[in-house]
Amino acid sequence: MIETKNAPFDTARWQQRFDELRRAHNVPGAGLAVAVGCQVHELASGVLHLGTGVEVTPDSVFLSGSIAKVYTATLVMRLADEGKLDLDAPVVNVLPEFATPDPDATKTITPRQLLSHTGGVTTDFNFDGGRGDDCLANYVTAAREVALDCPPGTAVSYGGIGFVVLGRVIEKITGLTWDQALKNLLFEPLGLQQSMTLPEEALRFRTAMSHLDGAPAPAWDLMPRSAGPAGRVIVTAGDMARFARMHLDGGAGILSPAAVAAMQQREVDVPDKWTVSADGWGLGWTLYDWNGITGFGHDGAAVGQYAYLRVVPQANLALVLMTNGGGARLLYSDLFRELLAELAGVTMPAPFAPAPVPPPVDLTPLLGTYRRAGVVITVSRKDDGTPHLRYEFVDEMAHMSPPLDMDLQPVTGTVFAASGAGPSFSDEYMPVVFSTLTTGTRVCYIGMRAAPKSESR
């Protein structure tokens, strides 16, 4: 374990820097937690709601978005620890109602593949399973008709369906709802009193309002209850840091040290190393390699709220940033770059950008249409020869956003820099990555999600 360069943690200095960077990137409000050694330092900055001006405090709760997947993964690993779930046996052994449009694939998909995003199931399926305790069962039934992104085991493709399926697996094994299982098996044993899953529970606390385009969003949380295992844990930055602390402390009675280590073991490399700064994926965790210093964590996005978790085991350090809008990605990049350098000796990579001298690229093999459930990506040339990409939500996802048109600048022969989707999601440029599956199918990665090529141009 390395020693921190600045101990004890200088709360006043970092509070000042946190405030400066939050203002610079127009983030309305944010919570920050720094777990270093055996202490968790909790900082707050800005306001919960631009309309009311209520200030963020350390006990304010935020939407954590996809970081919920790590909570679900932790529950899955606890069941595996107890001998109640085999990570390498087909999901249908526990959940016979689970299915995909490919019957052969259905028979082979395992919990390990779902945890590592190698099961081929997609993420863009926002089915509302209702408000009742049967919401996950309803979601799993509806998801049977959603096409796979790729055959199981052939590639990583970031997916939410898989974690809702895992949430339903938890329900079948424990006899509890996913929400209650999280309380009984994780929140209560760890003393996490400001962690919850349902919107009505958040009303007991100071709650961060989502913001879009510099104004409060029309609604606080648009996700259905059925999205919970993949996308909704409502939490303070401090409680999330204490959750991460459990993983740093060898499981702290929740998991065995072997299960904790297994979650951090690389299951798959990722072609897109920029969207969420991933070098690989473990069981639930995103894995990082900062010039030989390894770490794990996850990013999360809800409507107008963005969260970031980074853990550096050899420095005994966990960082959590939770925000409610604005240039959240830029705030994360600047703030964590400084914190990780000082507290863990980590040098974060430079923001993704085009190559200083663009390499010559034969675009012809990449031209065409790429499709996955709810999304169509079209790669073409403009009249002047400039590579161009159009990203469209279709079918039941058509209401999500207008089509996005982007020019592409080559970084390598298969990696391109596109104008970003806004500072909340990317730095100045967004990565577009082309890869080929073991089956020979070409895919286009945007947002870590693989869309297979369906036709050429």
Side-chain angles (χ1 to χ4, degrees), residues 345-377:
V346 164
T347 301
M348 284 175 53
F352 179 74
V357 179
V361 173
D362 180 8
L363 194 67
T364 304
L366 309 180
L367 298 175
T369 301
Y370 301 76
R371 295 179 181 269
R372 58 182 175 83
V375 171
V376 174
I377 300 167

Side-chain angles (χ1 to χ4, degrees), residues 208-263:
M209 181 63 187
S210 303
H211 291 78
L212 298 170
D213 299 322
W220 172 63
D221 178 15
L222 300 177
M223 289 186 293
R225 182 180 175 187
S226 52
R232 184 166 58 216
V233 169
I234 307 162
V235 63
T236 63
D239 256 17
M240 184 178 289
R242 284 179 274 273
F243 164 73
R245 175 90 265 154
M246 177 268 289
H247 284 270
L248 278 172
D249 290 342
I254 303 296
L255 295 178
S256 69
V260 169
M263 290 182 70

